[in-house]
Amino acid sequence: MSQEVIAIEGGHKLKGTVRISGAKNATVALIPAIVLAEKPVEIMGVPEISDVDALMVLLKELNCEVELEEDTLKVNPETMINTPLVSDAVDKLRASYYFMGALLGKYGDVTIKMPGGCYLGPRPIDLHLKGFEALGATITYDEKMGSYHLHADHLKGNRIYLDFASVGATINIMLAAVRADGKTTIENAAKEPEIIDVANLLTKMGAKIRGVGTDTIVIEGVDYMGGAVHEIIPDRIEAGTFLIIAAAMGNMVLIQNVIPQHLDALLSKLREMGVVFEIIGDTILVYGNIEHLKPIEIKTQIYPGFATDLQQPLTAFLTQAEGQSKVTDTIYTARFKHCAELNKMGANIEVGDACCYVNGKTDLHGTRVNATDLRCGAALVVAGLMADGVTEIGNVYHIDRGYDNIDRKLIALGAQISRYEVDD
């Protein structure tokens, strides 16, 4: 049996310009949000990632008319039918759970399989379900089918306190609440930019939402939501990944279509390491060629703290710092599978309790490694670009879930990358 791998010949300096695509973590919520509309919705800046393909399959299963032209997604929900979402497409990404809130809001009824996606340790959807129950939904779980059934004769607004400022729960409850009767207040809401982007689309469709970007969101339910045209914000995680790549192997790399304030935590840490860059409007110029990188400590936090999605790519770069760095993840405490893969390449990383210690500087060498999840894949790309020799990365479907044409973008900067089939 064979599988596709990404092969990277390390050691090549990168130079040029790269443009960041639309935000993956916004896109995977924006697409389910469309089903709340009664008229056509057009979304521009859609990244070319496999998660979008899976969500389009689910829209088609709901009998929506779906058309994707370049980076513009056009969806007509006027022919929509509320059917159970129990196909394999649900298993391909965790964000399929956003159909829970959207379909519950529109129809008061939804059946959906337990969603899939990367395994990063326990990620229960209890907060989502508690929020739906607070709005008046009854929830049953069919163990045999592995699916949830949510039903409400009438959703009614309520005050909902989140025990944890969860991005997924904040968005999902918001999707249901925009069509509930009366006022819903979400307290201890998450503040990520992707939530603001989803709220902006919902507002264009007719929702009444205020307080997004703060820890208290207030939603006045509406009876009708129409069509809209919306452009997705740039992907701060892709931008952060390319910042790390440019810092590691760049020689004057210009990163375009960036919202710099979304990256304040990462930029601060890169500056602390000794990376030299310049912010020019919506672009960041990374000079690269740093001889002596300083070790740092990072601790992932909810936004605007250091993003958990960037700790894995940064860990790869920290192997080149002179001394011991510590990385603590307070969001996904089991998100350290990349460390074993990096150690295969010559890194010296010790994994502790919800943290790792990166001992540098170490020389990395190419070998066969596997992407255990999306951002582990990004970490291995960073490592492969720095390593001596060829690195073969397996399970590349994880990378394709979240990075729009990463091979092509890196090749345009001067990287030596190819894809081919190998025997397992």
Side-chain angles (χ1 to χ4, degrees):
M1 191 174 176
S2 63
Q3 68 155 314
E4 186 179 44
V5 300
I6 291 177
I8 303 173
E9 183 180 279
H12 296 277
K13 285 293 183 180
L14 308 180
K15 187 174 185 177
T17 300
V18 62
R19 182 173 178 81
I20 300 305
S21 302
K24 176 254 186 190
N25 287 338
T27 302
V28 297
L30 289 165
I31 293 175
I34 293 172
V35 306
L36 285 159
E38 305 294 344
K39 295 292 182 182
V41 174
E42 188 172 312
I43 298 181
M44 298 176 290
V46 175
E48 191 177 328
I49 56 175
S50 59
D51 275 10
V52 168
D53 298 332
L55 289 167
M56 287 172 59
V57 169
L58 295 175
L59 287 176
K60 290 174 182 176
E61 288 181 8
L62 293 167
N63 207 43
C64 294
E65 295 176 12
V66 183
E67 181 183 359
L68 181 61
E69 291 184 2
E70 295 183 350
D71 69 346
T72 299
L73 179 67
K74 299 176 182 179
V75 181
N76 184 356
E78 292 176 304
T79 57
M80 189 173 162
I81 299 169
N82 186 21
T83 188
L85 296 178
V86 293
S87 72
D88 291 343
V90 179
D91 297 329
K92 292 182 178 178
L93 75 164
R94 188 164 180 81
S96 55
Y97 60 28
Y98 289 128
F99 282 103
M100 282 185 174
L103 292 172
L104 183 64
K106 186 168 188 175
Y107 295 107
D109 192 86
V110 55
T111 298
I112 186 169
K113 272 205 306 188
M114 184 66 184
C118 295
Y119 182 77
L120 303 174
R123 297 202 285 176
I125 60 171
D126 294 1
L127 291 181
H128 306 234
L129 302 179
K130 285 181 183 177
F132 298 145
E133 287 176 330
L135 296 174
T138 57
I139 302 168
T140 55
Y141 181 69
D142 186 327
E143 289 189 17
K144 184 177 179 181
M145 296 295 294
S147 62
Y148 286 97
H149 179 235
L150 293 75
H151 180 80
D153 291 330
H154 295 288
L155 290 176
K156 191 170 182 179
N158 202 346
R159 183 176 292 272
I160 299 168
Y161 179 84
L162 298 180
D163 296 327
F164 172 75
S166 160
V167 174
T170 299
I171 292 175
N172 228 346
I173 294 166
M174 189 165 63
L175 293 176
V178 292
R179 294 292 295 267
D181 294 336
K183 182 170 76 174
T184 298
T185 303
I186 306 174
E187 297 178 331
N188 195 33
K191 306 172 188 176
E192 272 73 359
E194 294 79 12
I195 298 170
I196 299 172
D197 204 31
V198 174
N200 286 339
L201 171 64
L202 294 172
T203 300
K204 292 174 184 176
M205 289 161 54
K208 296 180 179 178
I209 306 170
R210 63 181 189 272
V212 181
T214 76
D215 58 9
T216 303
I217 299 174
V218 179
I219 302 161
E220 295 285 349
V222 297
D223 295 328
Y224 175 86
M225 296 180 71
V229 176
H230 181 75
E231 184 168 2
I232 303 168
I233 59 172
D235 193 317
R236 61 192 173 100
I237 306 303
E238 184 192 14
T241 302
F242 272 97
L243 278 168
I244 294 165
I245 288 170
M249 291 303 296
N251 179 13
M252 301 288 282
V253 174
L254 186 67
I255 303 169
Q256 295 180 330
N257 194 34
V258 177
I259 301 177
Q261 57 264 42
H262 290 175
L263 295 159
D264 280 347
L266 173 63
L267 290 170
S268 176
K269 287 299 177 181
L270 289 177
R271 191 179 288 114
E272 188 180 332
M273 290 180 70
V275 177
V276 180
F277 56 85
E278 185 179 355
I279 298 171
I280 311 162
D282 66 349
T283 67
I284 300 177
L285 177 62
V286 183
Y287 290 94
N289 285 331
I290 315 110
E291 289 188 8
H292 301 288
L293 290 167
K294 298 175 183 176
I296 58 170
E297 288 195 16
I298 66 168
K299 180 182 287 188
T300 69
Q301 302 281 1
I302 58 175
Y303 187 83
F306 195 95
T308 177
D309 282 353
L310 288 173
Q311 68 92 340
Q312 289 162 289
L314 186 62
T315 297
F317 184 39
L318 289 175
T319 62
Q320 304 308 299
E322 297 176 351
Q324 187 181 77
S325 298
K326 182 180 180 182
V327 179
T328 303
D329 201 318
T330 69
I331 310 297
Y332 297 132
T333 56
R335 198 172 201 169
F336 292 95
K337 292 181 180 178
H338 58 297
C339 296
E341 301 301 306
L342 291 172
N343 283 345
K344 291 177 186 177
M345 300 177 66
N348 180 2
I349 305 174
E350 307 163 50
V351 178
D353 185 14
C355 71
C356 73
Y357 300 89
V358 187
N359 302 296
K361 177 181 179 179
T362 57
D363 293 328
L364 302 180
H365 55 81
T367 188
R368 179 77 177 275
V369 288
N370 282 300
T372 58
D373 56 76
L374 168 56
R375 307 303 173 184
C376 169
L380 297 176
V381 170
V382 175
L385 292 166
M386 296 188 297
D388 180 40
V390 176
T391 300
E392 286 186 340
I393 305 173
N395 295 337
V396 297
Y397 64 89
H398 283 304
I399 299 171
D400 294 337
R401 281 191 48 237
Y403 288 94
D404 180 350
N405 286 298
I406 192 168
D407 315 29
R408 189 178 70 199
K409 290 181 178 181
L410 287 170
I411 289 168
L413 293 174
Q416 298 294 311
I417 299 177
S418 60
R419 287 191 186 221
Y420 49 77
E421 297 283 330
V422 298
D423 292 331
D424 285 342

